[in-house]
Amino acid sequence: VSDVLRPSGNELLLFVFDPSETGVQPHGKQFIHSISSPGGDWYTPSSGIWQTVWMERVPRRYIRRLKIDQASTKAVTITAELAGDTAAQLAERVGVIVYDPASGQEIAAADGLAGQAIEVQVPSPRMWSTETPVLYDVRIRTGQDEVLSYFGLRTFALGGGDKKRPLLNGNFTFLAGFLDQSFWPDGLYTAPSDEALEYDILAVGMFGLNMIRLHQKVNPERWYYYTDRHGVAVFQDAPQKYGDASAGTVPYFLSDLKAMIEGRRNHPSILQWTVFNEADCWEVFKPDGIKQTVDLVRSLDGTRLVDTDSGGDANKLGLGDVNDIHSYPAPADVTPSSTQYAMVGEFGGLGAFVSGKEWVAGKCFAYQTAKTPAEQADLYIAIAKTFASRADHVSAAVYTQTTDVEFECDGFLNYDRTNKFDVQQVAAIYTANRAIQHVVAGRVAVESDAGAGFPVVV
């Protein structure tokens, strides 16, 4: 906006048109008809600006964008893109300084040219994981600008021979998590506060889980900062055209997909990209379009795994890294292969309807109704034991869902984020979830303290 600014009296107006489901573009779970006729697993749409927007004064040649490649056990590679004259940009030198997570002291540095990859070797490196989410601060400097960021060293790749497993830093960790819609009763797509964003992440650890499948939505950067900081792995969905997709959907979908990967790839907690969901919109792609889309994701980011179609028929094409099925309420069994690991991408949908917490009284539904929260906890724990018995071949599981959302009342938390369970029930759920991970690791002892390191809120 620099060229149009005046010394004073400036006003910036932004116009956005969002037709929600009446347009051809992806819109996730937002449906206009939910305003007048709420119900089902589609929700009230948002209008206006729902993510954080800010203006910042910068020099003429400023750091426009960073690409942080942290898929390593020993080094981080950073590419700094500068704004300004291209010739000057090519000649600009960029310095990178890495700081120790504990002391804050400088421990490594390197420099190179803008627009080129700069590798910094990290001495005595400590890995980011769901158990130890170590983050390093990093400062990027040019002659005119300076940016402070962070990274977490980790790798996530397939291993295991003929029966593939996802390996985090070369080791198998069973990833058990929530399907997360990230809707709020007051702001819909917008959280009421920064503390609310963090609370949803802390709830994962409170129940003994270690992963979130963020469903058909790209959240604000701050949300991912908390998943990075608290060691919660993220399987990131591409937003879908949920119903009535057409050929006109394809260019919008690909544009959004590219923007999602380029905009969020610097977060170490994101381990996997999910391209399609069920039959929401993959069928409108040309016969070779599914493969081309998966190839596009790999070309944009070759450091993460790719789930072609979570729970849909395109999953049967065997193109991605995951054999991903959906099964409600009980999880069906799923097998790995020599090219894919096995995952239950959605299961559960168990719901106790709490009086006074429903979006509309008497209108709640769930895939399986529980009479009380205690019964919901018991039903879930029985399913968790099923996963423990299949942990020799199943590698990940996603429960639907973190919170109730409008009429869909199958969350562990009510829509207002109050807890459905008492302290004893939370402890039992926590123990059941941690037991899956301990069976896999060959350990016998299981922590009994619910949410160790995470606050238990009931």
Side-chain angles (χ1 to χ4, degrees):
V1 297
S2 300
D3 293 339
V4 295
L5 287 178
R6 297 175 297 184
S8 62
N10 293 286
E11 182 180 24
L12 177 64
L13 299 178
L14 178 64
F15 173 79
V16 177
F17 172 65
D18 181 4
S20 195
E21 82 274 15
T22 65
V24 299
Q25 84 294 336
H27 53 83
K29 291 295 191 76
Q30 303 180 97
F31 280 77
I32 290 175
H33 70 67
S34 293
I35 298 173
S36 57
S37 301
D41 59 350
W42 44 84
Y43 319 124
T44 307
S46 295
S47 61
I49 299 171
W50 61 270
Q51 292 205 37
T52 304
V53 177
W54 74 94
M55 293 188 71
E56 178 181 349
R57 184 175 180 176
V58 296
R60 288 196 177 275
R61 290 210 299 276
Y62 62 93
I63 301 171
R64 186 204 305 269
R65 184 179 294 112
L66 294 177
K67 180 181 179 181
I68 302 176
D69 181 357
Q70 54 218 309
S72 171
T73 59
K74 59 183 180 181
V76 63
T77 302
I78 294 178
T79 305
E81 177 186 321
L82 272 58
D85 180 71
T86 301
Q89 176 185 341
L90 293 174
E92 188 94 25
R93 296 203 68 80
V94 176
V96 178
I97 304 171
V98 175
Y99 298 91
D100 182 78
S103 68
Q105 298 298 309
E106 177 181 332
I107 57 172
D111 67 273
L113 294 176
Q116 297 184 9
I118 303 171
E119 182 181 281
V120 186
Q121 296 290 323
V122 179
S124 303
R126 298 170 61 196
M127 298 299 102
W128 183 97
S129 72
T130 55
E131 298 289 338
T132 57
V134 177
L135 298 175
Y136 290 84
D137 283 341
V138 59
R139 192 178 304 275
I140 299 92
R141 287 174 172 166
T142 69
Q144 299 184 25
D145 200 10
E146 180 176 290
V147 171
L148 182 66
S149 188
Y150 67 86
F151 64 90
L153 294 175
R154 89 289 176 270
T155 61
F156 193 64
L158 287 180
D162 291 337
K163 295 182 179 180
K164 285 292 184 274
R165 292 283 205 181
L167 304 181
L168 179 59
N169 302 325
N171 300 305
F172 173 63
T173 298
F174 192 98
L175 294 169
F178 282 130
L179 188 77
D180 194 283
Q181 311 280 1
S182 281
F183 270 74
W184 282 268
D186 42 6
L188 303 174
Y189 256 27
T190 306
S193 66
D194 189 61
E195 290 75 18
L197 282 175
E198 184 177 22
Y199 178 77
D200 280 11
I201 307 307
L202 292 173
V204 176
M206 178 171 64
F207 289 109
L209 300 169
N210 58 8
M211 179 261 283
I212 288 173
R213 179 184 165 206
L214 185 56
H215 194 38
Q216 303 217 33
K217 184 190 178 193
V218 180
N219 266 338
E221 293 266 20
R222 191 73 177 171
W223 185 89
Y224 300 92
Y225 163 72
Y226 286 122
T227 60
D228 294 339
R229 178 180 172 187
H230 293 301
V232 176
V234 176
F235 289 0
Q236 175 66 58
D237 278 18
Q240 307 288 297
K241 169 62 177 165
Y242 191 33
D244 298 323
S246 66
T249 301
V250 174
Y252 287 101
F253 182 94
L254 295 176
S255 176
D256 288 352
L257 178 67
K258 182 179 179 181
M260 176 186 76
I261 293 172
E262 292 183 343
R264 297 294 181 269
R265 64 185 171 195
N266 287 343
H267 291 280
S269 57
I270 298 178
L271 301 182
Q272 183 168 290
W273 303 114
T274 306
V275 183
F276 297 107
N277 179 73
E278 296 180 347
D280 294 349
C281 65
W282 68 265
E283 292 172 315
V284 303
F285 285 69
K286 294 179 180 179
D288 58 351
I290 308 300
K291 182 179 185 305
Q292 290 176 354
T293 305
V294 172
D295 290 345
L296 172 65
V297 174
R298 294 195 192 282
S299 70
L300 293 171
D301 181 6
T303 70
R304 294 175 169 92
L305 298 184
V306 181
D307 187 345
T308 299
D309 183 18
S310 184
D313 283 347
N315 175 64
K316 299 175 183 177
L317 300 175
L319 296 174
D321 302 304
V322 194
N323 182 15
D324 182 350
I325 67 167
H326 293 178
S327 177
Y328 286 97
D333 204 0
V334 58
T335 57
S337 71
S338 61
T339 59
Q340 295 182 316
Y341 79 84
M343 169 178 166
V344 180
E346 291 182 25
F347 75 93
L350 313 171
F353 309 154
V354 180
S355 178
K357 297 296 183 179
E358 297 169 284
W359 185 247
V360 177
K363 296 294 185 180
C364 270
F365 83 93
Y367 291 90
Q368 181 175 347
T369 302
K371 295 178 181 179
T372 64
E375 182 182 358
Q376 182 180 349
D378 289 342
L379 289 169
Y380 177 83
I381 289 168
I383 290 176
K385 291 178 179 178
T386 299
F387 280 115
S389 70
R390 298 173 181 169
D392 62 324
H393 59 280
V394 178
S395 297
V398 180
Y399 173 80
T400 302
Q401 55 191 337
T402 314
T403 75
D404 292 353
V405 185
E406 298 189 0
F407 284 13
E408 188 175 357
C409 300
D410 45 13
F412 278 16
L413 305 177
N414 296 302
Y415 200 12
D416 65 0
R417 271 51 176 185
T418 53
N419 205 323
K420 288 187 179 181
F421 306 112
D422 62 26
V423 172
Q424 290 74 28
Q425 291 156 1
V426 171
I429 293 170
Y430 175 92
T431 300
N433 284 326
R434 293 294 288 174
I436 305 170
Q437 299 157 49
H438 280 253
V439 167
V440 170
R443 297 188 291 265
V444 177
V446 176
E447 301 109 331
S448 59
D449 295 332
F454 293 87
V456 179
V457 181
V458 296

